[in-house]
Amino acid sequence: MKDFVNRGSYYWAQFLCLFRFTQKGKYHFWEKRKCKIAQWCTLWADKNAYNLVLRDGFGDSFFILSLAHELAKVNHVKLFFLVKPSQVLLLKMFGFNNYKVLKMLNAKDLMTHTINKAPYPTQGDVFFPQPRYHWQTEGLMSESKCFVDAFRRLFRLPLKTPLASPCWWPDINNKLSKKIKKAGGINNIVLLTPETNLSITANLMWWKKLAESLQNRGYFVVCNVCKGANKIAGTADWNLSVEELLALGARCRAVVSIRSGLCDLFARKRKNLFVLDAPFHSATEKKFFNLNFNFNIKEVNEYSDEKQIPIETLVDKIANIKNL
């Protein structure tokens, strides 16, 4: 009966949104979207848990899940996740199995933070844990020295709260193993990821020259992009699944990437990661999202742009890698 009432409330809310118009008589599209996501998330929420919505990129969700166990421990509460399909893999990596997949969270224009009833997680309510779009965005971001500190503040955790590492990482499957063997072995492969989740590349010509230089040294270059226009000519496109990408990227000779959420995952797993900051980041943002600073490590090779590291110097660094 309770489930029937909840679903009835959802459809009633949809009805009200459908007939809400602006002063010009046009359909109020944004209000319908806001109402729809709020109703669906509330419908599936666990009344005895913190209900966290994961619908952003891998990097943001990776930080959230790195702090999630501590969030639950400190507040003596269980967690429930409402996620878009691509986030399920991350939940598995951190050992969480209490979740509901909502395909509507894939939509890029859903302002899910508008469903927050409080500036922090509360039991039984749905919460969108994103400091960049939060009620207290200015304070959370400006008072934090790095991006992960903004999440700590959002969860009301001490700033020294350590980040948990994944308890599981994807393995190389048989299909990928055969490709690696044909490429000369895992130590002969360099993975390039010249794309952010916004499908923006820094300089395609630079990446093409880098690939050619690596190939001239005898390395097999795999390029992973989502948008065909960003593919680097002459490189191998293995059409990797996310699991295969993580499995390969954690074990190959080196990864060269533009700064993206994928780098957050690799920074916690491997050495020999070479990262060029995203071209749209300001000087302040470059420091704020710096991998070594956020994870309190020194292993990541980070560069503000391609001009800071000559191609041959970068290739020399990759060639001189030892103890793989």
Side-chain angles (χ1 to χ4, degrees):
M1 181 65 182
K2 180 180 179 182
D3 185 58
F4 176 79
V5 172
N6 285 339
R7 291 178 186 275
S9 299
Y10 165 72
Y11 289 115
W12 175 243
Q14 287 287 52
F15 175 81
L16 292 177
C17 287
L18 182 63
F19 286 95
R20 179 169 179 176
F21 293 80
T22 62
Q23 291 180 349
K24 295 182 179 180
K26 294 181 179 180
Y27 171 59
H28 202 303
F29 176 79
W30 294 111
E31 187 66 19
K32 178 178 182 295
R33 276 299 184 91
K34 173 183 173 182
C35 184
K36 184 177 182 180
I37 186 64
Q39 286 292 325
W40 267 111
C41 287
T42 302
L43 177 63
W44 294 108
D46 185 333
K47 300 304 179 183
N48 299 312
Y50 284 178
N51 298 276
L52 305 182
V53 181
L54 301 185
R55 66 159 305 269
D56 273 312
F58 267 23
D60 293 15
S61 294
F62 189 77
F63 279 132
I64 292 168
L65 294 173
S66 295
L67 295 168
H69 285 294
E70 191 65 20
L71 173 66
K73 178 182 177 181
V74 169
N75 293 281
H76 306 287
V77 67
K78 66 178 181 178
L79 303 180
F80 187 77
F81 297 91
L82 299 159
V83 303
K84 62 182 182 179
S86 62
Q87 305 289 330
V88 174
L89 175 61
L90 288 177
L91 292 173
K92 181 179 179 181
M93 292 173 66
F94 281 91
F96 290 107
N97 53 20
N98 296 323
Y99 63 88
K100 174 65 180 178
V101 177
L102 298 179
K103 291 184 178 180
M104 69 170 59
L105 292 175
N106 276 325
K108 295 182 179 180
D109 54 9
L110 289 178
M111 305 298 285
T112 39
H113 62 284
T114 60
I115 67 178
N116 287 350
K117 295 182 178 180
Y120 45 79
T122 52
Q123 187 169 322
D125 293 323
V126 174
F127 185 73
F128 180 72
Q130 178 48 269
R132 284 183 289 193
Y133 311 126
H134 195 261
W135 293 354
Q136 299 176 339
T137 293
E138 185 175 354
L140 284 170
M141 299 294 278
S142 63
E143 295 176 8
S144 302
K145 294 183 178 180
C146 57
F147 193 35
V148 70
D149 276 355
F151 284 101
R152 291 185 176 109
R153 290 178 183 275
L154 183 63
F155 289 152
R156 298 187 297 175
L157 294 173
L159 294 182
K160 293 185 179 181
T161 301
L163 294 172
S165 297
C167 59
W168 173 83
W169 196 273
D171 291 322
I172 294 174
N173 59 32
N174 291 334
K175 178 182 175 182
L176 181 57
S177 180
K178 292 178 181 178
K179 292 180 179 179
I180 292 173
K181 186 176 181 180
K182 290 182 179 179
I186 194 70
N187 292 338
N188 194 49
I189 297 174
V190 177
L191 175 64
L192 305 185
T193 59
E195 191 178 66
T196 70
N197 60 352
L198 299 176
S199 297
I200 298 174
T201 58
N203 184 333
L204 279 176
M205 185 57 65
W206 184 89
W207 288 90
K208 182 179 180 180
K209 290 180 179 179
L210 171 63
E212 291 174 346
S213 184
L214 287 166
Q215 290 167 338
N216 290 337
R217 298 283 189 103
Y219 297 113
F220 189 90
V221 181
V222 177
C223 180
N224 187 83
V225 294
C226 296
K227 191 175 180 180
N230 291 333
K231 187 179 184 302
I232 309 302
T235 61
D237 179 7
W238 282 356
N239 192 28
L240 300 169
S241 66
V242 177
E243 286 199 30
E244 290 173 330
L245 176 61
L246 294 180
L248 177 66
R251 299 169 175 85
C252 63
R253 184 176 192 85
V255 174
V256 185
S257 178
I258 193 170
R259 180 66 173 93
S260 67
L262 191 63
C263 298
D264 295 304
L265 277 71
F266 287 147
R268 294 287 284 174
K269 182 65 177 178
R270 65 161 301 137
K271 297 181 179 179
N272 308 321
L273 173 62
F274 300 85
V275 178
L276 279 72
D277 214 313
F280 47 80
H281 278 170
S282 65
T284 301
E285 289 174 326
K286 290 179 188 295
K287 180 178 180 181
F288 192 74
F289 293 106
N290 182 278
L291 291 165
N292 287 316
F293 191 30
N294 274 276
F295 289 110
N296 193 27
I297 56 177
K298 299 180 180 179
E299 288 81 6
V300 181
N301 303 277
E302 295 183 87
Y303 309 98
S304 59
D305 53 47
E306 66 271 9
K307 297 178 182 179
Q308 191 180 359
I309 176 72
I311 288 177
E312 290 305 317
T313 301
L314 176 54
V315 175
D316 284 340
K317 287 180 176 288
I318 293 174
N320 292 328
I321 293 174
K322 299 178 180 179
N323 301 322
L324 291 172

